[in-house]
Amino acid sequence: MADSLPPAERLLNLVIALVNTPGRMTKEQIRASVAGYDRDGSTEAFERMFERDKETLRDLGVPVTTVHGPAHADDAGYRVDLDAYALPPMELDAAQLGVLGLAADFWQDQSLRADAARALTKLRVVGDTSADTDAVVGLAPRLHAAGPALAPLLDAAHARQAVEFTYRAASTGEVLRRTVEPWRIIASRGGWYLVGFDTGRDAPRVFRLSRIVDDVVPVGPTGAFVVPADVDPMAMLAASQQGGTRLAWLSVAADRAGALRSRAVQPDGEDPPAPPRPGHDLVVVPFERSADLAEELLGYADAVVVLGPEDLRAGVVRRLREAVAMTERLAGRATDGERRDG
Amino acid sequence: MAERTPERLVRLLGLVAYLDRHPGVSVEEVAAHFEVTPQQVLRDVDTLWVSGTPGYWPDDLIDFDADSFDSGVLRLTQSRGMTRALRLGAREAVALVAALRALSESVGDLLEPAEREVIASTLEVLTAATGDAAATMDVQLAVEARPEVVAEARRALRNRRQLALRYVDAADRVSERVVEPWQLLTGDEHSYLQAWCRSARGERLFRLDRILEATQLDQPVTTRPGRSRGETFTPSAEHERVVLELDQRARWVVDQLPVDETTDRPDGGMRVALRVASSAWLRHLLLRVAPYVRAVEPVAVAQEAGAAARAALAAYDAAEG
């Protein structure tokens, strides 16, 4: 019969059938009686479709339970337990639904956007109908997209299953296969990080998601590890970023770098490592990661000169030299090209 | 585009459970509640009407009161036991809980007590319903700005009043502007004020940490946000097109910038086309990725960045001496 029924409608009929069955339905019964399955097609095609459908339903929070008959193992049947799929009793008022709408709008990644939107649809069922409410006026959170690694990492972290991926180390640029027990995924300061146990190195490590160069693949059994109780993933991330706030002493051209000036602080009692340049002002700003501030300062070119600390100064100078090297490299290429053309 | 199967299925099941709780709701109300069109609700009802338990005789099917339906009201007369709301999947729960936690932890200071209370109570209800599923993800939002600027912007947003801003842009130019504030976009790296800029006669995003001063004015906000989701920059054909050849270490450029077009090279490198509205922005970008740049078109752009770098190095030399 209607094997052309859209998948959503076939799944709907499957769920209703499995919820209402007095005991269980065998595959044969499902195939013969549930609208949307092709009873005349091949057994293989049916099995494939049914397996896929079970998986889709499980992902949506509707677990299909396998029930074995009393007599033999091969008369296994299926059922959906209401208690397993139902949301615990809860109510949401209109303002709370409004806040959830705001939360669902958080995600830039396609997969998490879809997850959040579905969650919202489910919660609307227990939500109050009412006029548009703007519970939190004029606030719209947004995150950088995390990329394709996020969804499989979240799944693995939840299932407590190890993952494998290829990773480019920040320090060396070396590309290596890593096996990690994923503990926690963290979005912070424009970056996405995985904190977990690197089984190859036998130590906890922090990974940046944007440096994962291929697909994240789950490996081994689920429930394979527990996150140690004394682990503080946030602290590990902070430590990996050389935490701690320091002061940058900057010589800033008059009337320039308003954005830096707006963050300036008054250092108490400390003397600048060097005086500002003539016609410049001394501006002191707090910073955490020297690499981030160095990158920001590049944009000001000669309008801002770092007086200290030394690692920040060296970081800026190194990047400036790399930029000069780039120009020379490109100019060299252009000349080569002309020579070849000539 | 056709709706994906999981989304439709979840709504179909949700509609039955919702209508079981709310007998006699108009099609328009249901559509507004689920944020779909009334036409979609009618299509969903058509589907539900022919769905049910095997056999599919009239008594097996989900059913609605026909008289009510004719007058545009949905009244469920047979639910086939599908009256429970679906629980959240693990990723669904984590997506909402992490977002709410980020809101309450990172942005809490910007909120009114009543708003904080709503977020806290929502989080509580949700956590009670989902358990520890959400312990796998943390999100920190960065709201780096002068507190008085944020407070004033929030006040103007609530009162729907215009704001006078003193703003310093990416090219380090200070300007005075009058804007109609729409919303605060709080992000993980930077936060922005999305507004209609009366001075520039256009929609603009102002980075909060670059707003030097904000003052609420008496004039009301008269414009409404457009359809854009407040992208920080939307490339368009009028902007200069620049092509960069980068090696694989600069992959984050492709991930984080508004690129027009990317071509991957066999060795992991890539060719990236960008639309560039601000030469200062482009210069800054080139200075940051310099070691990974293999080619730039037009090449003058790279020379300009190099000249800026030489000038800066000269300033460092002068500071040493």
Side-chain angles (χ1 to χ4, degrees):
Chain A
M1 112 185 176
D3 59 330
S4 59
L5 211 58
E9 303 183 18
R10 178 182 70 241
L11 286 160
L12 176 67
N13 280 300
L14 178 62
V15 175
I16 299 176
L18 292 179
V19 164
N20 281 283
T21 183
R24 64 207 159 83
M25 284 182 90
T26 62
K27 274 189 200 167
E28 253 333 289
Q29 287 169 327
I30 290 168
R31 183 180 178 189
S33 68
V34 173
Y37 289 104
D38 178 10
R39 65 188 61 166
D40 302 321
S42 75
T43 305
E44 257 176 32
F46 165 76
E47 296 258 349
R48 264 203 312 274
M49 184 182 271
F50 182 61
E51 286 307 314
R52 222 173 31 232
D53 286 352
K54 277 200 300 183
E55 200 174 309
T56 305
L57 289 177
R58 193 183 51 235
D59 285 350
L60 296 180
V62 185
V64 176
T65 314
T66 310
V67 189
H68 292 286
H72 354 267
D74 60 349
D75 69 344
Y78 301 89
R79 174 178 87 207
V80 166
D81 288 322
L82 273 180
D83 289 335
Y85 99 50
L87 197 64
M90 60 186 275
E91 302 282 338
L92 293 164
D93 63 27
Q96 290 172 325
L97 265 194
V99 165
L100 286 167
L102 194 66
D105 219 22
F106 224 70
W107 307 104
Q108 302 287 307
D109 289 279
Q110 200 99 45
S111 67
L112 253 82
R113 278 191 83 74
D115 288 329
R118 263 197 328 273
L120 196 56
T121 302
K122 291 178 177 180
L123 293 170
R124 284 187 171 124
V125 172
V126 296
D128 210 4
T129 312
S130 80
D132 255 358
T133 48
D134 219 350
V136 180
V137 177
L139 203 61
R142 63 208 29 251
L143 294 179
H144 276 87
L150 179 59
L153 283 176
L154 282 174
D155 288 343
H158 181 255
R160 288 182 285 116
Q161 185 176 19
V163 289
E164 251 181 51
F165 51 80
T166 306
Y167 189 74
R168 181 180 310 111
S171 43
T172 56
E174 208 180 6
V175 175
L176 285 173
R177 198 80 186 149
R178 312 291 275 262
T179 306
V180 178
E181 295 173 352
W183 288 345
R184 185 93 61 119
I185 292 94
I186 301 175
S188 175
R189 294 174 174 273
W192 281 89
Y193 303 88
L194 164 67
V195 176
F197 189 81
D198 186 326
T199 56
R201 279 156 189 75
D202 199 28
R205 284 282 189 278
V206 177
F207 302 90
R208 196 169 166 133
L209 264 56
S210 60
R211 296 207 188 101
I212 295 177
V213 292
D214 62 352
D215 292 339
V216 171
V217 189
V219 288
T222 57
F225 61 89
V226 280
V227 181
D230 58 347
V231 154
D232 181 350
M234 281 299 201
M236 283 178 60
L237 176 62
S240 79
Q241 297 172 341
Q242 309 154 349
T245 303
R246 293 185 292 157
L247 292 180
W249 301 77
L250 308 172
S251 167
V252 176
D255 299 324
R256 293 292 311 275
L260 285 174
R261 289 172 190 269
S262 81
R263 280 156 33 205
V265 295
Q266 288 298 328
D268 20 286
E270 280 181 72
D271 286 329
R277 304 189 62 210
H280 277 214
D281 303 317
L282 179 67
V283 173
V284 184
V285 295
F287 71 102
E288 280 167 18
R289 285 191 291 178
S290 133
D292 287 354
L293 184 59
E295 285 204 345
E296 181 185 353
L297 296 181
L298 285 178
Y300 295 109
D302 57 346
V304 176
V305 171
V306 178
L307 304 173
E310 177 53 31
D311 62 318
L312 178 66
R313 199 195 71 90
V316 173
V317 168
R318 175 175 59 78
R319 286 171 170 80
L320 290 170
R321 290 201 178 116
E322 283 168 354
V324 171
M326 165 189 74
T327 324
E328 283 161 3
R329 196 166 65 232
L330 297 182
R333 256 176 76 138
T335 322
D336 287 350
E338 278 160 27
R339 227 175 273 140
R340 247 180 273 127
D341 290 344
Chain B
M1 197 184 79
E3 187 178 27
R4 291 176 59 235
T5 298
E7 278 67 37
R8 177 120 202 271
L9 177 63
V10 163
R11 193 180 57 249
L12 286 167
L13 288 166
L15 278 176
V16 180
Y18 176 78
L19 291 170
D20 181 67
R21 272 150 214 263
H22 299 88
V25 189
S26 76
V27 170
E28 280 72 27
E29 282 175 86
V30 173
H33 187 66
F34 284 91
E35 289 190 7
V36 292
T37 61
Q39 290 73 26
Q40 182 63 55
V41 172
L42 292 175
R43 276 196 294 272
D44 289 349
V45 168
D46 278 342
T47 297
L48 291 171
W49 227 318
V50 296
S51 301
T53 43
Y56 305 103
W57 295 99
D59 283 353
D60 298 321
L61 301 174
I62 287 171
D63 206 0
F64 299 86
D65 181 60
D67 289 341
S68 303
F69 183 74
D70 288 341
S71 56
V73 169
L74 300 177
R75 190 180 303 277
L76 206 56
T77 55
Q78 174 54 265
S79 65
R80 298 311 294 154
M82 308 306 295
T83 59
R84 308 278 292 270
L86 284 181
R87 79 177 159 84
L88 302 189
R91 234 161 59 203
E92 295 171 354
V94 88
L96 290 184
V97 172
L100 284 177
R101 264 213 320 253
L103 272 179
S104 79
E105 284 165 17
S106 315
V107 198
D109 294 347
L110 306 186
L111 303 176
E112 296 290 292
E115 296 171 335
R116 271 204 297 271
E117 178 49 37
V118 175
I119 292 177
S121 70
T122 312
L123 196 50
E124 201 174 308
V125 173
L126 205 58
T127 317
T130 58
D132 64 349
T136 50
M137 177 156 71
D138 279 304
V139 173
Q140 293 179 314
L141 296 177
V143 188
E144 283 167 352
R146 302 183 159 201
E148 67 273 16
V149 164
V150 182
E152 190 72 355
R154 292 273 295 150
R155 195 161 74 95
L157 282 166
R158 268 194 298 277
N159 300 336
R160 300 194 45 78
R161 301 285 166 186
Q162 297 178 14
L163 270 174
L165 298 185
R166 213 156 68 78
Y167 186 73
V168 52
D169 67 12
D172 201 21
R173 289 180 302 247
V174 177
S175 57
E176 314 262 350
R177 296 150 182 269
V178 172
V179 307
E180 303 197 357
W182 289 340
Q183 54 185 354
L184 288 180
L185 307 176
T186 50
D188 51 347
E189 189 171 23
H190 299 295
S191 292
Y192 300 86
L193 175 67
Q194 187 189 20
W196 177 262
C197 179
R198 294 178 64 92
S199 313
R201 292 172 185 280
E203 181 184 332
R204 290 287 185 277
L205 282 181
F206 298 100
R207 235 172 80 177
L208 279 190
D209 60 349
R210 293 177 171 279
I211 299 177
L212 306 175
E213 253 179 78
T215 316
Q216 180 184 281
L217 303 174
D218 290 335
Q219 289 78 5
V221 169
T222 58
T223 52
R224 291 187 63 79
R227 295 292 303 157
S228 86
R229 289 190 20 94
E231 305 303 333
T232 41
F233 174 67
T234 313
S236 76
E238 74 201 62
H239 298 123
E240 187 190 3
R241 185 180 155 97
V242 172
V243 178
L244 305 180
E245 284 272 355
L246 301 166
D247 76 30
Q248 58 169 352
R249 290 169 296 170
R251 173 124 339 240
W252 60 268
V253 175
V254 184
D255 295 342
Q256 303 191 353
L257 296 179
V259 299
D260 228 15
E261 195 187 321
T262 308
T263 316
D264 284 315
R265 298 295 189 213
D267 66 352
M270 65 227 114
R271 177 188 167 87
V272 181
L274 299 161
R275 296 275 172 189
V276 178
S278 151
S279 57
W281 178 86
L282 178 64
R283 189 184 75 184
H284 193 184
L285 173 68
L286 282 172
L287 292 174
R288 284 154 71 204
V289 300
Y292 319 133
V293 174
R294 292 169 175 170
V296 181
E297 283 166 47
V299 74
V301 169
Q303 284 156 357
E304 199 206 328
R310 281 195 188 90
L313 286 171
Y316 275 95
D317 286 343
E320 306 271 287

